[in-house]
Amino acid sequence: MNIVVCVKQVPDTATERKLRSDDKTLDRDAADGVVNELDEYAVEEALRLKEAHEGEVTVLTMGPGKATETIRKALAMGADKAVHLSDDALHGSDALSTSYAMAQVLKKIGFDLVILGSESTDARTGVLAAMLAERLGTPQLTLANKVDVDGTSITVQRITDYGFDKVEATLPAVVSVVEKINEPRYPSFKGIMAAKKKPVETLAIGDASIDAAQVGLTAAWSSVVDFAAAPPRAAGTIVKDEGDGGAKAAEFLASKKFI
Amino acid sequence: MSEILVLVEQVEGEVKKVTLELLTLARSLGTPAAVWAGPGITSEAKARLAEYGADKIYVAPSSDIVEYVVAPKAELLAQLVADKSPAAVLVAATPEGKEIAGRLAIKTDSGVITDAVGLGEGFVADQSIFGGGINVQSKVSKGTPIVAVRPNSTAPEPSAGAGAEEEVSVTLSDAAKAARIVERVKQEKGARPELTEAAIVVSGGRGVGSAENFSIIEQLADSLGAAVGASRAATDAGWYPHQFQVGQTGKTVSPQLYIAAGISGAIQHRAGMQTAKTIVAINKDPEAPIFELADYGVVGDLNQVVPQLTEEVNKRK
């Protein structure tokens, strides 16, 4: 089974995240880049499926040169090889452009299964998996907390408001995973050393038949008009519990008409 | 005024509150038209949609629409966009709502904005990004604006609309029928409101100390008619089910009131609740970062403070 797992480099939530004042895109230099956390669960699930059914796990990322750090992490966890879509023309791409560019690469490299995290911690749009399925014309098995593959059929548990749906489809398919699906492994020392020797193919847009007019900031279907730091919250009232903390909190809630 | 399509969210025929919010929001920008995707519309549901301003109710009763994952709903909306040329399409910014919006954007070659917390003239959307650190205004620049709006962004206000029903038949492509829902499994969640929709959320964290002790949190939630949430520390410890996790890798909530008990307020948690209108924190550590966000904070042991608060709330009811 040929599994492609999509990973994204995102700014570390623990560091200050900013937008650029010039073109209002993410300031990638302001914060440390890390693997999008939910994508680690996607890598883990890909590795588990490979271990159960054989095959190959390819890491796919789109992003500037720095994104190779993210690829190395996935390779160190155990993925076999990587494809890095990197081109200045992609800067500022929105979700529609990103899904288009990634779908073009996926068509070029081929796949039985595409797995990704259900959203990224920076943009948090949660649309990429659905958009890839739409563009590729393949079944969408998203928000999965359990994935089973049997020959050419795939079954997932899709998280819903009321519990979960059991969803069935035929491969090839696009899957997104939620956090509770597994526990991602830590790269071993051996894995880290082996990752250095694994092949990473870097593609520019022309290598994947990506039309420059469909990507980048100028092609974007939506744009940031303006942004500003959120005004700091007004300092609240903090009291020490001296046996009446609950009652005082109740008074506060009553003053705000919550009770 | 131009029509604005609002995709109805419903559970077993009952219209969810977020849809009433979207109709209220749509009224300020155009003429709301509700879209009921699938079978099971009731006269109560129709009356409710009209009560909150739906001028039209498009009903697509085909059961095919709900038997496959997401794609049929996007196809239905795409057909309505082509037929009715609406000024915009609004969906709830739930995980599924956002997926529908994403597919619809591609089908109609339109821009999409997710997690809007406000929507103004020209469909300029307000968003709160990076865990509430930055406020952004965004705009769709191509096609029909498709906007996924977060629950609790607008207070629902009734204002009668005509509620004229129009049946819609949709022919689904084979691609839309690729991922079949073979079973729906309902997990008991009791009488509490849905976490992402609730006006009040009471969450417990590491300080709760055990699964059994979460009953303290639940009792406070029930006294306020609130949903229960949990921090990742609490769900990872197995004290509360994962689907109630609030934070970066869990649910994003934006309630009127958020009460955090025994939660330190790590950045990952803040990312999921920082846009709450009012925040109350109870924690024994006076240095806990949650107090930086709190409108009201009690430094104390939650085992004493929370039951007392519950008792006071019950007394005042």
Side-chain angles (χ1 to χ4, degrees):
Chain A
M1 190 164 49
N2 180 5
I3 306 171
V4 179
V5 53
C6 302
V7 298
K8 182 182 186 186
Q9 188 177 47
V10 296
D12 189 343
T13 312
T15 57
E16 193 190 1
R17 295 176 292 176
K18 293 199 271 195
L19 296 180
R20 279 164 50 156
S21 54
D22 52 355
D23 65 2
K24 305 185 180 86
T25 62
L26 175 68
D27 187 344
R28 291 180 190 270
D29 298 326
D32 297 336
V34 294
V35 181
N36 175 44
E37 189 181 346
L38 283 160
D39 296 346
E40 291 187 31
Y41 296 82
V43 174
E44 177 63 35
E45 199 59 24
L47 295 173
R48 289 184 188 196
L49 287 168
K50 177 195 158 175
E51 283 154 9
H53 302 281
E54 299 188 334
E56 195 173 49
V57 174
T58 304
V59 183
L60 168 60
T61 201
M62 169 174 149
K66 205 180 147 189
T68 46
E69 298 160 11
T70 295
I71 289 173
R72 289 292 163 204
K73 172 102 191 257
L75 292 175
M77 285 173 74
D80 299 292
K81 60 191 176 67
V83 175
H84 183 181
L85 176 63
S86 181
D87 198 309
D88 289 345
L90 296 165
H91 171 76
S93 292
D94 65 359
L96 280 109
S97 296
T98 301
S99 65
Y100 159 70
M102 291 192 66
Q104 291 299 96
V105 177
L106 286 164
K107 283 179 198 165
K108 176 186 156 69
I109 65 178
F111 61 91
D112 298 307
L113 195 57
V114 177
I115 308 184
L116 54 165
S118 57
E119 66 177 16
S120 64
T121 56
D122 53 353
R124 301 202 71 167
T125 61
V127 298
L128 191 65
M131 284 183 162
L132 286 177
E134 175 73 32
R135 293 208 185 267
L136 296 164
T138 46
Q140 172 190 336
L141 300 104
T142 43
L143 305 170
N145 75 344
K146 191 169 186 292
V147 179
D148 289 306
V149 176
D150 180 10
T152 59
S153 72
I154 176 166
T155 309
V156 310
Q157 283 187 6
R158 169 179 169 84
I159 295 294
T160 65
D161 281 354
Y162 47 79
F164 61 86
D165 287 346
K166 208 170 152 190
V167 180
E168 272 179 14
T170 306
L171 297 179
V174 176
V175 168
S176 79
V177 300
V178 298
E179 183 234 41
K180 63 192 268 198
I181 192 167
N182 58 39
E183 194 55 53
R185 67 194 69 183
Y186 287 103
S188 63
F189 179 70
K190 206 173 132 205
I192 294 166
M193 295 312 287
K196 294 181 175 165
K197 299 196 187 100
K198 289 176 177 173
V200 177
E201 186 184 6
T202 304
L203 301 178
I205 59 167
D207 303 323
S209 310
I210 295 166
D211 176 4
Q214 302 288 310
V215 295
L217 195 58
T218 49
W221 279 255
S222 62
S223 61
V224 173
V225 180
D226 205 2
F227 71 90
R233 294 185 84 100
T237 307
I238 312 289
V239 300
K240 194 173 179 308
D241 178 35
E242 280 159 352
D244 59 353
K248 282 183 168 166
E251 271 166 41
F252 172 78
L253 295 185
S255 76
K256 294 279 179 185
K257 305 211 184 319
F258 288 117
I259 46 177
Chain B
M1 283 212 282
S2 316
E3 203 163 274
I4 295 175
L5 299 182
V6 171
L7 180 65
V8 177
E9 293 243 341
Q10 51 101 7
V11 181
E12 288 164 354
E14 194 172 326
V15 177
K16 290 178 85 172
K17 192 179 95 198
V18 63
T19 298
L20 309 180
E21 295 168 9
L22 297 191
L23 289 171
T24 305
L25 190 60
R27 263 186 356 242
S28 66
L29 299 160
T31 308
V35 180
W36 187 280
I41 191 164
T42 59
S43 50
E44 290 83 6
K46 285 179 214 166
R48 197 104 171 111
L49 295 169
E51 184 190 350
Y52 282 83
D55 188 56
K56 284 242 183 74
I57 303 171
Y58 296 119
V59 180
S62 164
S63 57
D64 270 359
I65 292 171
V66 293
E67 279 172 17
Y68 305 91
V69 174
V70 171
K73 290 179 183 166
E75 225 154 76
L76 164 66
L77 288 173
Q79 184 184 310
L80 283 167
V81 167
D83 292 349
K84 312 290 179 186
S85 307
V89 181
L90 306 187
V91 302
T94 56
E96 175 160 322
K98 295 202 284 186
E99 292 183 336
I100 294 167
R103 295 188 79 123
L104 178 63
I106 292 172
K107 284 180 184 297
T108 59
D109 195 29
S110 299
V112 58
I113 290 172
T114 52
D115 286 300
V117 294
L119 194 59
E121 208 161 310
F123 299 101
V124 174
D126 298 316
Q127 292 169 293
S128 171
I129 66 163
F130 298 159
I134 300 180
N135 293 335
V136 172
Q137 282 80 48
S138 321
K139 195 175 177 320
V140 164
S141 32
K142 293 185 198 170
T144 308
I146 299 164
V147 186
V149 183
R150 252 191 214 166
N152 287 316
S153 299
T154 310
E157 281 167 27
S159 171
E165 189 177 338
E166 184 177 324
E167 188 161 316
V168 179
S169 69
V170 60
T171 314
L172 297 178
S173 68
D174 288 342
K177 296 197 267 190
R180 179 188 284 275
I181 298 167
V182 291
E183 192 184 349
R184 288 177 207 276
V185 179
K186 293 199 169 73
Q187 289 169 328
E188 59 144 342
K189 60 165 194 167
R192 293 193 190 101
E194 168 63 25
L195 182 55
T196 50
E197 278 223 322
I200 304 178
V201 175
V202 181
S203 286
R206 194 187 300 274
V208 175
S210 67
E212 296 71 39
N213 218 22
F214 249 84
S215 63
I216 294 181
I217 304 297
E218 291 183 323
Q219 283 159 18
L220 175 58
D222 291 343
S223 75
L224 290 161
V228 174
S231 72
R232 182 161 181 177
T235 59
D236 277 358
W239 301 341
Y240 218 67
H242 252 106
Q243 66 260 36
F244 297 99
Q245 186 191 314
V246 171
Q248 182 166 286
T249 56
K251 299 237 161 76
T252 301
V253 299
S254 197
Q256 298 296 320
L257 171 63
Y258 188 85
I259 301 180
I263 292 175
S264 67
I267 190 86
Q268 287 80 3
H269 186 74
R270 293 160 66 148
M273 48 65 75
Q274 199 151 348
T275 53
K277 309 284 184 299
T278 300
I279 297 172
V280 171
I282 299 158
N283 201 302
K284 64 182 178 192
D285 174 11
E287 305 296 323
I290 193 79
F291 287 122
E292 293 163 22
L293 296 183
D295 298 284
Y296 197 87
V298 180
V299 179
D301 183 349
L302 70 89
N303 292 300
Q304 263 89 57
V305 177
V306 174
Q308 187 180 68
L309 175 55
T310 307
E311 197 187 318
E312 284 293 325
V313 173
N314 285 330
K315 250 193 255 173
R316 287 168 191 251
K317 272 203 268 198

